Amino acid sequence: MRDVQIERVETIIVDLPTIRPHHLSMAVMRKQTMVIVRLFCSDGIEGIGEATTIGGLSYGDESPEGMKLTIDTYIAPLLQGKSARSANALMSLLDHHIQGNYFVKSAIETALLDAQGKRIGVSVAHLLGGAVTKTLPVLWTLASGDTTKDIEEAHALLADGRHKAFKLKIGRKPPKEDIAHVAAIKEAVGADTVVTVDVNQAWSESVAKQGIAQLQLAGIDLIEQPIHKTNFDGLARLTRYFEVPIMADEAVATVSDAFKLAKVGGGSVFALKIAKAGGLVNIQKQAAIAQGAGISIYGGTMLEGTIGSVASAQVFSTLPTLDWGTELFGPLLLTDDIVKTRVRYGNGVMEIPQGPGLGIELELNQVEKYKRK
Ligand SMILES: [Mg+2]
């Protein structure tokens, strides 16, 4: 097999407007900023990847501007001239030289796998052992910040059939107001529609105990990360105490987190995200830990655009144990896109692109249009 080198790595910061403000416990988003990675190889193949955060630094340790700097200054020189064929070898090299920086590593691994898939004519899922599905269930997050608007949005989406399950973001307002908001929406959409609630760490354990009791009474189907991510034992106590499933999200970032949480029983569901985990291969490792521990899996999002969402979908499609479906709706939250063909959604699912690599390509005019000047 002829060797192929990485010639250069380019990063571009892109700002895309959202269709409406997106209210989270830690931020209100009116646009999404993504760092797009273009990895050029000596055989003319280009791999693409995406590093995206939620509301700059409000979710995690990495910011779009910082991620661009890390790639340009530290990662690109390490990759330049290296053989492009083995993502595992290159990711091991990065782990040796660069601590943490998981979002960035996920974007780089995505670009490496995309390039290799395009090179040999197979999908990224195929490189990861093969897909078990061509579609993934995708719920929608109601987060306009207004109960009436959220109910209207839910009814329109149910009528249209695009989504069949919803997630509600709470934690910004006092618990009483938040719970009334959730209960009103659950009642409006009906008992048969799955409604989950994400508190994004906003509650103390004592408040969570009272809040979850009421959410359970309102018929909520799952509670996501009610307390701070570092409180593994608290998550375990809540998981044991309630019938409603408790999902770990922020708490289960790395492979090591997954192991430690599984050991104490912190959560009956894990929300996995390629950015938190530092890449697609690590998602499979976390999924194996969860499977061994009898913990269900949910395919999470960092509200990535199409590239990051498709990268997530490629690895999620290889997991037979994705019991709780996914939230890969990021591209639908944006008014426009930077890829040639937009991903198709309908009937409650996302259709995973089936071409080589990620199965998508950048539309460079669009990248230029939304590139931060
Ligand atoms: Mg979450």
Side-chain angles (χ1 to χ4, degrees):
M1 206 164 26
R2 198 168 51 90
D3 198 26
V4 177
Q5 274 97 40
I6 296 168
E7 285 189 335
R8 66 191 171 88
V9 181
E10 189 183 316
T11 54
I12 306 152
I13 293 184
V14 167
D15 293 300
L16 275 171
T18 57
I19 54 171
R20 57 154 168 75
H22 197 66
H23 290 248
L24 311 168
S25 78
M26 62 288 183
V28 178
M29 294 169 51
R30 290 184 171 79
K31 60 167 189 179
Q32 182 54 299
T33 301
M34 40 196 88
V35 180
I36 305 303
V37 173
R38 302 181 69 190
L39 183 121
F40 299 93
C41 303
S42 58
D43 57 355
I45 299 273
E46 174 188 345
I48 53 176
E50 174 185 338
T52 291
T53 76
I54 293 178
L57 283 171
S58 64
Y59 184 96
D61 300 336
E62 293 168 74
S63 67
E65 299 76 14
M67 294 191 293
K68 179 174 168 45
L69 178 138
T70 300
I71 297 172
D72 294 350
T73 313
Y74 296 97
I75 293 184
L78 277 173
L79 296 181
Q80 231 156 14
K82 299 287 190 310
S83 169
R85 287 189 191 274
S86 171
N88 281 351
L90 293 164
M91 293 312 291
S92 160
L93 175 81
L94 292 191
D95 283 339
H96 183 71
H97 289 279
I98 294 166
Q99 299 297 317
N101 288 279
Y102 298 105
F103 287 52
V104 156
K105 284 176 183 169
S106 172
I108 296 290
E109 193 192 54
T110 300
L112 289 167
L113 291 169
D114 180 42
Q116 181 63 4
K118 283 175 174 152
R119 181 169 297 122
I120 64 174
V122 302
S123 69
V124 167
H126 185 93
L127 291 176
L128 297 169
V132 295
T133 179
K134 288 183 177 172
T135 62
L136 289 170
V138 178
L139 59 62
W140 178 252
T141 295
L142 299 166
S144 73
D146 180 278
T147 310
T148 311
K149 273 189 196 160
D150 280 357
I151 291 172
E152 282 168 14
E153 204 174 290
H155 280 150
L157 289 165
L158 284 171
D160 177 49
R162 201 181 76 186
H163 301 280
K164 298 175 173 178
F166 300 99
K167 164 162 152 176
L168 311 182
K169 289 283 194 181
I170 63 169
R172 281 183 82 74
K173 293 178 181 164
K176 219 174 157 181
E177 277 179 50
D178 271 341
I179 290 158
H181 165 81
V182 170
I185 293 173
K186 177 66 185 179
E187 203 186 320
V189 298
D192 293 340
T193 303
V194 167
V195 175
T196 73
V197 165
D198 190 357
V199 192
N200 281 117
Q201 318 181 65
W203 289 345
S204 66
E205 194 177 335
S206 55
V207 168
K209 217 161 162 185
Q210 294 175 310
I212 296 168
Q214 290 172 60
L215 291 171
Q216 191 171 267
L217 260 180
I220 295 309
D221 297 274
L222 174 129
I223 314 293
E224 181 173 345
Q225 197 67 53
I227 57 175
H228 195 261
K229 62 181 179 181
T230 54
N231 190 357
F232 282 22
D233 291 328
L235 214 50
R237 284 187 285 272
L238 296 173
T239 304
R240 278 197 299 273
Y241 192 80
F242 290 106
E243 280 164 37
V244 60
I246 306 291
M247 180 156 81
D249 179 8
E250 285 89 335
V252 57
T254 63
V255 174
S256 154
D257 291 334
F259 177 74
K260 289 175 188 159
L261 264 182
K263 212 171 151 189
V264 299
S268 44
V269 187
F270 283 173
L272 304 184
K273 300 180 182 173
I274 59 170
K276 287 189 302 183
L280 287 68
V281 171
N282 283 344
I283 291 292
Q284 292 189 313
K285 295 176 189 171
Q286 292 181 313
I289 291 169
Q291 191 179 354
I295 293 164
S296 297
I297 299 174
Y298 173 72
T301 181
M302 209 55 73
L303 293 175
E304 288 102 338
T306 297
I307 299 167
S309 299
V310 169
S312 305
Q314 292 283 345
V315 65
F316 293 157
S317 75
T318 69
L319 307 177
T321 55
L322 199 70
D323 307 336
W324 282 87
T326 80
E327 56 182 17
L328 296 178
F329 63 83
L332 297 171
L333 193 61
L334 305 171
T335 57
D336 204 353
D337 214 322
I338 53 167
V339 295
K340 285 188 176 153
T341 313
R342 295 191 82 162
V343 175
R344 295 214 325 231
Y345 291 87
N347 201 24
V349 301
M350 168 202 225
E351 291 175 28
I352 306 166
Q354 295 296 311
L358 294 174
I360 47 172
E361 277 176 87
L362 284 176
E363 176 59 61
L364 294 176
N365 291 332
Q366 289 287 92
V367 173
E368 193 53 38
K369 181 175 171 190
Y370 293 105
K371 181 180 170 179
R372 193 177 288 180
K373 305 293 184 310

